[in-house]
Amino acid sequence: MKLIFLGAPGSGKGTYATRVAPAIGVPQISTGDIFREHLKNNTEIGKKIKSIMESGNLVPDEVVMEIVKDRLKKDDVKKGFIFDGFPRTLEQAEEFGKITSVDAVVNLVVPEKIIIDRLTSRRVCEKCGSIFNIMSMKPKEEGKCDKCGGKLIQRKDDTLEVIMDRLNVYKKQTQPLIDYYRKKGLIIDIVNDNPNASPEQVLPRILEKLKNIQTK
Ligand SMILES: [Zn+2]
């Protein structure tokens, strides 16, 4: 099955993609992870990405497509894939359509208020990087990491201002993408408006919907 997962930052997209992939026997492909891998191994593509990012620009579509095409050559995608974090723009989706078909696009819909609450209450350990949440995953002692006793801080990325900004960018970029796939009849909306729903509760709903998908 060939799937794409869409969802705003804080929607749990990555979490669900990671769990659905083994359940249906396909690899989860995160272009972000591939970028980081190239950077770490200092490959030709890695060097290219590094200089683009250092100049403050977004990685251009042609480089993203190069990475995606390269990834689709591997044997493990014969039974399908879940793309997470790609395509990000309508242009990328159109290019992607030229190299492979897509069976469904899972669109995780989470109300903005829930996303904001979830992300602004996230705290990370300064020392070991463990993640806590002052609403849903409280540390035993306030402000202190359970694992190493380090100080818990709020990342700059998790402040209200930055989150609003990211959500607005996401909406602007992704709406045309959702429209594009909806017109093709490929969108599966998974609405998650219960702030306390665990991934274990949401996952079966996604798998149930995928049962009815015809693979091409
Ligand atoms: Zn720690």
Side-chain angles (χ1 to χ4, degrees):
M1 201 181 299
K2 298 172 181 173
L3 301 176
I4 292 169
F5 272 47
L6 296 178
S11 65
K13 170 177 58 82
T15 306
Y16 294 117
T18 309
R19 294 184 188 213
V20 172
I24 62 170
V26 300
Q28 174 221 7
I29 304 175
S30 151
T31 43
D33 288 347
I34 301 177
F35 284 172
R36 280 184 284 277
E37 193 72 12
H38 278 291
L39 286 169
K40 204 176 83 191
N41 298 331
N42 206 25
T43 62
E44 282 312 307
I45 291 178
K47 284 177 200 158
K48 218 190 272 182
I49 296 171
K50 195 168 173 224
S51 72
I52 295 164
M53 291 198 322
E54 277 170 354
S55 66
N57 292 313
L58 286 172
V59 181
D61 284 354
E62 68 209 56
V63 177
V64 177
M65 291 315 298
E66 196 180 327
I67 285 170
V68 168
K69 275 182 200 161
D70 192 54
R71 183 63 184 81
L72 288 178
K73 282 181 196 147
K74 289 199 183 168
D75 275 349
D76 64 347
V77 299
K78 285 203 174 111
K79 280 171 139 183
F81 49 70
I82 295 180
F83 267 96
D84 151 23
F86 170 89
R88 226 175 256 287
T89 62
L90 182 58
E91 291 72 25
Q92 287 179 2
E94 284 168 347
E95 281 302 307
F96 193 49
K98 291 177 195 164
I99 54 174
T100 180
S101 60
V102 171
D103 299 317
V105 177
V106 174
N107 182 34
L108 291 156
V109 184
V110 180
E112 214 162 71
K113 189 183 177 306
I114 295 180
I115 289 181
I116 291 168
D117 285 348
R118 192 181 285 166
L119 294 182
T120 53
S121 56
R122 190 154 69 175
R123 296 293 180 273
V124 55
C125 172
E126 221 174 25
K127 262 194 199 160
C128 75
S130 293
I131 291 172
F132 296 86
N133 191 299
I134 52 171
M135 283 165 66
S136 56
M137 239 178 35
K138 286 184 190 165
K140 288 193 185 92
E141 196 181 327
E142 198 187 313
K144 235 182 184 186
C145 175
D146 288 355
K147 286 182 193 151
C148 76
K151 192 179 163 201
L152 299 184
I153 55 162
Q154 184 176 42
R155 283 197 300 222
K156 262 199 194 128
D157 273 4
D158 293 338
T159 56
L160 183 60
E161 202 189 354
V162 177
I163 291 165
M164 289 306 293
D165 214 43
R166 281 165 67 203
L167 286 176
N168 286 332
V169 169
Y170 176 79
K171 264 193 272 181
K172 217 170 115 188
Q173 265 190 351
T174 314
Q175 197 53 53
L177 205 57
I178 294 173
D179 297 342
Y180 170 80
Y181 285 124
R182 205 179 291 282
K183 262 184 219 152
K184 292 179 181 283
L186 294 176
I187 292 274
I188 299 175
D189 287 311
I190 302 288
V191 179
N192 185 7
D193 51 11
N194 174 2
N196 304 313
S198 66
E200 286 70 26
Q201 285 169 288
V202 180
L203 192 64
R205 282 172 48 203
I206 302 176
L207 293 175
E208 189 59 38
K209 295 253 174 127
L210 291 178
K211 273 189 195 158
N212 307 319
I213 299 301
Q214 306 269 338
T215 54
K216 285 186 241 6

